Amino acid sequence: FQIVFAVSTRMGDAHVRNRIKRRLREAMFAILKEGALKQRGFELAVIPKKEVADLTFAELITDLRAALLRLPGAKSQRQTEK
């Protein structure tokens, strides 16, 4: 699968946008290492809001995981445990 992080120039200067993209990328790697993402064969565009820059890394992972669970074909951990 492919994931694109599209950060608008309205988010700030280049160093702010790059920091947001790096943090999103690392959060996605952390989620993938957990094995929480079971879907395959998709393309995803993530367009963050300005508030992403102020989130802690743990909050970022939680929010990104919640967004990924809303994807078609995604199953929450509760559904897979039953």
Side-chain angles (χ1 to χ4, degrees):
F1 58 89
Q2 284 185 310
I3 300 174
V4 174
F5 300 108
V7 182
S8 171
T9 55
R10 290 183 226 152
M11 299 287 274
D13 293 333
H15 68 279
V16 174
R17 295 192 310 268
N18 290 336
R19 180 174 182 261
I20 290 170
K21 286 188 271 189
R22 281 194 309 270
R23 293 181 77 221
L24 285 169
R25 194 177 311 120
E26 286 302 316
M28 182 59 72
F29 285 143
I31 292 169
L32 290 174
K33 284 180 186 176
E34 294 172 357
L37 189 62
K38 304 292 184 196
Q39 301 97 318
R40 297 197 179 270
F42 64 90
E43 295 176 358
L44 179 66
V46 177
I47 305 171
K49 294 187 177 186
K50 191 157 182 99
E51 295 81 24
V52 168
D54 299 327
L55 293 177
T56 66
F57 191 68
E59 291 172 330
L60 184 60
I61 289 175
T62 302
D63 286 352
L64 189 55
R65 187 182 299 121
L68 291 172
L69 288 175
R70 289 190 296 244
L71 290 174
K75 294 182 180 178
S76 68
Q77 289 180 340
R78 290 182 190 161
Q79 289 175 342
T80 56
E81 291 173 357
K82 290 182 181 179

